[in-house]
Amino acid sequence: VRMTADGVLIAFHGEDLKSETNCTGFVSQTTFSELSSCENSTWLKSAKIERLKDILDENYPKGSIFSLDLKEDFETESNRSVLLVNELKKLTGSFQKYNFLIESIDLPFLIDLKRNEVNAELFFYAHNLEVDLEKILSAELDGASINMKLCSAEQIASAQEANLKVMLWGTGSVFSNREAVNMKPNIIQTDDIGSMR
């Protein structure tokens, strides 16, 4: 999830438009109207950049889980942080039939989301589950999101004993899916749905 210059939440991975579209500039400095003319050329197919709201309007089954991986950087513009909190609160409040998980590497931002009672479970991007566990517990977040290569089954169990959820990512084959399942996390994000099934 990224936010445009005019405060629209979109589903787009990179900040630099040149790397993934036929446009130039940065998402945070471009309005959604301007982005509408850009072709998002993924490895699957070319597609328009979509507002997150439009994706959620597709009417998925009640209880569907959406993991919102926040890619914003707030070092220079704190007013964007306030705007993003408000937009996420509005979005998650408008789609209460879904369950939202919000992942971010920015711990103060996650704490701000919690303080503002955004309707989502909040996950900190951990680099070392053992080291980051205390930070996550102190912030009273819901869990950790971590690359499966950066943790062990024992660390996951320890986090779960402390009532935290662990979301693993970095799986993309039948072998890594099997390894992830054996680590017994709460959630697995995979690039290979077929083999996971």
Side-chain angles (χ1 to χ4, degrees):
V1 174
R2 288 196 178 272
M3 188 171 64
T4 63
D6 52 341
V8 176
L9 300 179
I10 62 168
F12 192 78
H13 191 272
E15 167 65 359
D16 188 346
L17 293 169
K18 189 177 181 182
S19 66
E20 298 174 52
T21 73
N22 60 343
C23 294
T24 58
F26 297 94
V27 171
S28 61
Q29 299 168 358
T30 309
T31 66
F32 182 71
S33 176
E34 293 166 330
L35 284 176
S36 297
S37 65
C38 300
E39 284 288 323
N40 184 9
S41 44
T42 68
W43 58 275
L44 289 174
K45 62 180 180 175
S46 186
K48 293 288 181 194
I49 296 172
E50 290 190 74
R51 293 185 309 174
L52 198 50
K53 180 192 175 310
D54 294 338
I55 293 169
L56 298 173
D57 270 336
E58 299 270 329
N59 202 23
Y60 294 94
K62 183 178 181 177
S64 292
I65 299 170
F66 286 90
S67 178
L68 308 181
D69 181 0
L70 299 183
K71 298 292 189 184
E72 284 290 317
D73 179 8
F74 306 115
E75 289 179 48
T76 56
E77 302 177 77
S78 60
N79 58 333
R80 278 186 65 80
S81 177
V82 172
L83 181 57
L84 182 56
V85 167
N86 291 335
E87 289 303 312
L88 286 167
K89 187 170 184 173
K90 194 182 337 175
L91 181 85
T92 58
S94 297
F95 293 95
Q96 292 190 14
K97 71 176 192 168
Y98 301 140
N99 297 316
F100 292 98
L101 313 175
I102 295 179
E103 307 171 59
S104 177
I105 198 163
D106 191 320
L107 188 61
F109 180 71
L110 288 167
I111 292 168
D112 203 20
L113 288 175
K114 183 169 184 63
R115 187 173 37 248
N116 282 279
E117 299 177 353
V118 171
N119 180 32
E121 290 185 84
L122 304 174
F123 287 75
F124 178 66
Y125 264 117
H127 294 337
N128 181 317
L129 201 49
E130 214 164 12
V131 171
D132 292 333
L133 193 59
E134 192 53 47
K135 285 191 269 189
I136 297 165
L137 288 169
S138 295
E140 298 180 357
L141 301 179
D142 300 291
S145 174
I146 190 166
N147 186 312
M148 66 177 285
K149 292 176 178 62
L150 298 179
C151 68
S152 66
E154 293 75 25
Q155 291 171 334
I156 291 171
S158 179
Q160 291 167 334
E161 285 170 19
N163 289 323
L164 291 177
K165 293 182 179 178
V166 177
M167 180 181 340
L168 288 186
W169 54 274
T171 69
S173 70
V174 66
F175 306 106
S176 57
N177 280 345
R178 188 176 294 129
E179 185 181 344
V181 168
N182 288 334
M183 293 171 80
K184 300 185 177 159
N186 301 85
I187 301 162
I188 299 172
Q189 296 179 358
T190 182
D191 291 330
D192 187 354
I193 299 291
S195 75
M196 182 62 80
R197 200 178 288 129

